[in-house]
Amino acid sequence: MDQPLGGGATAVARAHSNIALVKYWGKRDAALNTPAVGSISVTLAALYTDTRVTFRPDLSGDEFWLDGSRTDATRVSRVLDLVRRRAATDRYAVVSSTNNFPTGAGLASSASGFAALAVAAAGASGLTLADRELSILARHGSGSAARSIFGGFAEMHAGVAADGSDSYAEQLLEPADWPLSVAVAITERGEKSINSTIGMVESAATSPYYQAWQDSAADDLAEMRAAIAARDFARLGELSEYNCLKLHALMLSTRPALIYWNAATVAAMHAVRGLRADGVPAYFTIDAGPQVKVLCLPADSAAVRGALALVPGVHEVRMSALGPGAHRLE
Ligand code: DP6
């Protein structure tokens, strides 16, 4: 089988990374990559991945280039296999991705990367997919990527269907509906030690807190939805910190422990609490890495950036507005 492809064999897409305010950790079905819990995130304008996908008749396997280096294509092929099946082609692809931020350091490169891959691969194969289908496709690469299909605020549904068909993200608000700022304090530029995929499997297998984490997810999601609907920043921020620290308590109680923080991570958390004590509403969240993301109102961006820049061990502070959903670049 080598059928002609409808919409031209190349497409380029950009997708922005996202930061979860209510976090995903744990899988319902590893093969389908469905999450055990739902999640809610904001998409970031300043951090993104550009991905070009070209299906070619002369390849004997998929090729994946990340920031100019040839990289293992296993996960990329998982997404491309689904696209090939739908588009009824057996052509392999060359995938070339560039991040405008450090890869693999807890800045959600897999979220932006697999969302960009889903949109570019669908485009290159001539498929026209609805956002929900793109979200499901992106999920097969990385659970958090399902949310980066959408701009602004997005919610990922864990779903209950055995085939994963109800496990996708949806948009809650456009970026302009509630403009917030996010400061990203970079405390380490290198690759993180344990990736999320492995870490969450270890937490599910070993932590005595894993059941409680799953059981309390629905309450956090409901409260976050209400905070977003009411544009209640203090409630959104307090709940984001609570959910983040609950996740890190789960990580710390995993055997062997998942310690993603360094000294600067902890110092930045205290700096954010110090800002609040001085009357600046700012709230932190941290993923499976040492970087600290701080939510604030656009009017307080300069104060938050200034305070984080003074924290010993913070190399750089990147400011971001909320960003758009994944889109084609041509
Ligand atoms: C802590 O989406 O990277 O960032 O589905 O295995 O690729 P896989 O995991 P991934 O996990 C993200 C974990 C998190 C929280 C979040 O983004 O919700």
Side-chain angles (χ1 to χ4, degrees), residues 97-110:
S97 275
T98 51
N99 292 327
N100 78 332
F101 56 90
T103 301
L107 285 176
S109 58
S110 69

Side-chain angles (χ1 to χ4, degrees), residues 39-310:
S39 52
I40 293 178
S41 62
V42 288
T43 299
L44 301 183
L47 306 176
Y48 56 81
T49 303
D50 289 342
T51 296
R52 173 184 296 277
V53 174
T54 307
F55 286 100
R56 290 199 341 213
D58 57 315
L59 299 172
S60 55
D62 294 317
E63 269 182 32
F64 178 41
W65 297 78
L66 180 59
D67 289 329
S69 303
R70 179 93 186 250
T71 308
D72 176 53
T74 310
R75 268 182 155 197
V76 163
S77 292
R78 212 157 65 194
V79 173
L80 292 174
D81 283 344
L82 296 168
V83 171
R84 277 189 278 267
R85 197 178 313 152
R86 261 193 90 165
T89 179
D90 61 1
R91 287 188 183 185
Y92 291 108
V94 178
V95 175
S96 175
S97 275
T98 51
N99 292 327
N100 78 332
F101 56 90
T103 301
L107 285 176
S109 58
S110 69
S112 52
F114 284 104
L117 175 68
V119 172
S125 69
L127 291 173
T128 306
L129 299 182
D131 283 348
R132 180 171 296 185
E133 294 173 288
L134 288 169
S135 181
I136 290 175
L137 193 55
R139 185 201 79 215
H140 282 271
S142 192
S144 53
R147 302 184 307 241
S148 272
I149 296 298
F150 301 96
F153 291 75
E155 175 166 6
M156 175 73 186
H157 304 288
V160 293
D163 64 354
S165 57
D166 59 356
S167 179
Y168 51 77
E170 283 183 302
Q171 190 175 50
L172 296 175
L173 288 183
E174 291 282 354
D177 292 338
W178 194 13
L180 296 181
S181 292
V182 179
V184 181
I186 298 176
T187 65
E188 200 174 297
R189 294 184 198 280
E191 295 261 340
K192 65 190 176 221
S193 45
I194 307 249
N195 80 27
S196 321
T197 310
I198 296 168
M200 62 178 77
V201 169
E202 292 181 355
S203 295
T206 66
S207 172
Y209 301 161
Y210 184 69
Q211 190 61 45
W213 165 255
Q214 282 188 289
D215 292 346
S216 61
D219 286 349
D220 290 2
L221 290 165
E223 191 180 341
M224 187 57 80
R225 261 181 240 121
I228 291 168
R231 313 285 196 274
D232 185 337
F233 184 64
R235 194 168 172 204
L236 172 141
E238 190 278 328
L239 180 58
S240 297
E241 276 193 11
Y242 165 71
N243 182 268
C244 159
L245 291 173
K246 189 163 59 170
L247 170 61
H248 284 271
L250 171 64
M251 291 162 160
L252 292 170
S253 65
T254 298
R255 283 176 94 168
L258 302 166
I259 305 176
Y260 287 110
W261 301 346
N262 60 32
T265 312
V266 178
M269 288 193 266
H270 287 294
V272 170
R273 292 182 146 212
L275 277 166
R276 282 217 293 285
D278 293 342
V280 179
Y283 300 88
F284 62 78
T285 186
I286 304 158
D287 291 309
Q291 326 299 7
V292 181
K293 293 96 177 190
V294 181
L295 303 154
C296 66
L297 301 171
D300 295 321
S301 292
V304 170
R305 175 182 211 153
L308 290 171
L310 291 176

